[in-house]
Amino acid sequence: MLPRDIFLHGLKPTLHIAHRGGALLAPENTLEAFQRAVHTHRTDMLELDVHLSRDGEVIVAHDDTLERCTDGAGPLAALTLAELRKLDAGHRFTPDGGRTFPFRGQGIRLPTLREVLRAFPTLPLNVELKPDVPGAEEVLARLLTEEGALGRVCLGSEQDVIAERLHEKLPDACHFYPRDALAAFVLALKAGEAPPEDARFSVLDMPLYFGEVRLVDDVLLKAAAERGKWINVWTVDDPAEMDRLIAEGIGGIMTDRPDLLRQRMDAPGKPG
């Protein structure tokens, strides 16, 4: 059995978290992006998403379809790992609005979660399970257990039903709040009320803004700290917001621009 706080133990604000590895700098959710984030921008944590292939492999990818990020088409879940390996995961990436495609034809593939875990054997990961497919949580749990990675992964889903199944399967792992539970926590505070207690979830992965409303404020930070909750905000690419969040002592900043966040975190006089 894992101590419930093993993932959070030793973490100090503010964490540099590469969202999908840094989706504005390299093809998202690929080893190329992850390696740049870790080795060039010294990221503290990788944020990534996973799906299941037709033959039950855990694939790192955000979308349930292949068109946006690869030269393939159709549902990811319709292809086997061997078929997915043939796709070019750098085909669509462009840093300049479609003028150039510097990663096209460079052999970049959709990685498996197992490959990512082994490529970065000590790095913490924030892993979102995407498909609402009963049994997917069992496949993910088995993989994490086989790789001895349960203590360095925070798990969850935007969908509450998936997050609940994940917690049932891995009750001692770190879990982040799903959408409805997160909304209940934040809206209660905005209404001046005590947020509902939910010991299943220890990390608030949340947007910085909802419309024009900035969700992170002193009330939220205080309430989270009092309850032993950690806050990571997404997706922050603006240097001024990065500076403000660092000054506020936010737990972690998820960004598509790990280069800019590293510059701000290394700037003279910055805390953390």
Side-chain angles (χ1 to χ4, degrees):
M1 180 177 294
L2 293 170
R4 287 191 58 83
D5 62 349
I6 189 170
F7 179 83
L8 298 177
H9 181 72
L11 296 183
K12 297 179 180 179
T14 293
L15 296 178
H16 180 293
I17 306 175
H19 182 252
R20 307 183 198 172
L24 290 177
L25 299 184
E28 65 179 57
N29 278 324
T30 64
L31 286 173
E32 176 71 23
F34 298 147
Q35 287 164 352
R36 287 173 178 240
V38 171
H39 300 306
T40 302
H41 308 303
R42 308 196 316 278
T43 199
D44 298 307
M45 185 183 299
L46 294 172
E47 187 277 342
L48 54 84
D49 316 277
V50 295
H51 290 260
L52 293 187
S53 66
R54 194 177 79 201
D55 50 349
E57 293 289 339
V58 183
I59 307 296
V60 180
H62 178 271
D63 297 1
D64 58 4
T65 56
L66 297 164
E67 288 86 350
R68 185 175 64 86
C69 294
T70 78
D71 57 348
L76 183 156
L79 300 185
T80 64
L81 175 60
E83 291 167 332
L84 291 168
R85 291 285 200 208
K86 299 176 182 178
L87 302 180
D88 183 354
H91 188 79
R92 303 291 183 190
F93 180 84
T94 175
D96 48 23
R99 290 188 295 274
T100 64
F101 296 86
F103 295 95
R104 185 173 286 183
Q106 301 301 307
I108 297 174
R109 306 300 178 210
L110 295 173
T112 65
L113 180 58
R114 195 182 301 272
E115 289 173 325
V116 175
L117 291 168
R118 293 181 178 182
F120 310 101
T122 62
L123 196 71
L125 304 179
N126 191 101
V127 178
E128 178 173 354
L129 180 59
K130 284 293 187 180
D132 184 4
V133 179
E137 67 279 357
E138 297 180 10
V139 177
L140 180 57
R142 183 166 59 250
L143 168 61
L144 294 173
T145 301
E146 289 172 355
E147 293 297 319
L150 283 172
R152 64 182 179 99
V153 172
C154 191
L155 301 167
S157 172
E158 181 182 11
Q159 300 183 56
D160 288 63
V161 64
I162 301 175
E164 290 164 2
R165 291 201 302 262
L166 271 172
H167 185 270
E168 289 173 2
K169 193 65 183 177
L170 294 168
D172 298 314
C174 175
H175 295 265
F176 62 81
Y177 276 75
R179 180 177 52 207
D180 292 348
L182 175 64
F185 190 100
V186 175
L187 289 175
L189 293 174
K190 293 297 181 184
E193 302 170 356
E197 297 292 339
D198 196 331
R200 296 174 299 176
F201 309 116
S202 55
V203 174
L204 288 85
D205 282 353
M206 59 182 293
L208 179 56
Y209 284 89
F210 182 76
E212 298 297 318
V213 178
R214 192 177 193 270
L215 298 179
V216 174
D217 56 21
D218 290 342
V219 173
L220 176 67
L221 293 169
K222 182 174 183 291
E226 289 174 347
R227 291 161 176 79
K229 309 291 187 181
W230 184 275
I231 303 176
N232 297 321
V233 293
W234 50 263
T235 305
V236 182
D237 299 329
D238 177 69
E241 286 286 11
M242 292 174 179
D243 286 345
R244 182 177 174 184
L245 287 163
I246 293 169
E248 290 171 327
I250 197 71
I253 299 174
M254 296 183 179
T255 182
D256 287 331
R257 289 295 305 269
D259 56 338
L260 294 180
L261 181 55
R262 176 47 60 200
Q263 290 172 13
R264 303 319 306 151
M265 297 183 76
D266 287 353
K270 287 291 184 297

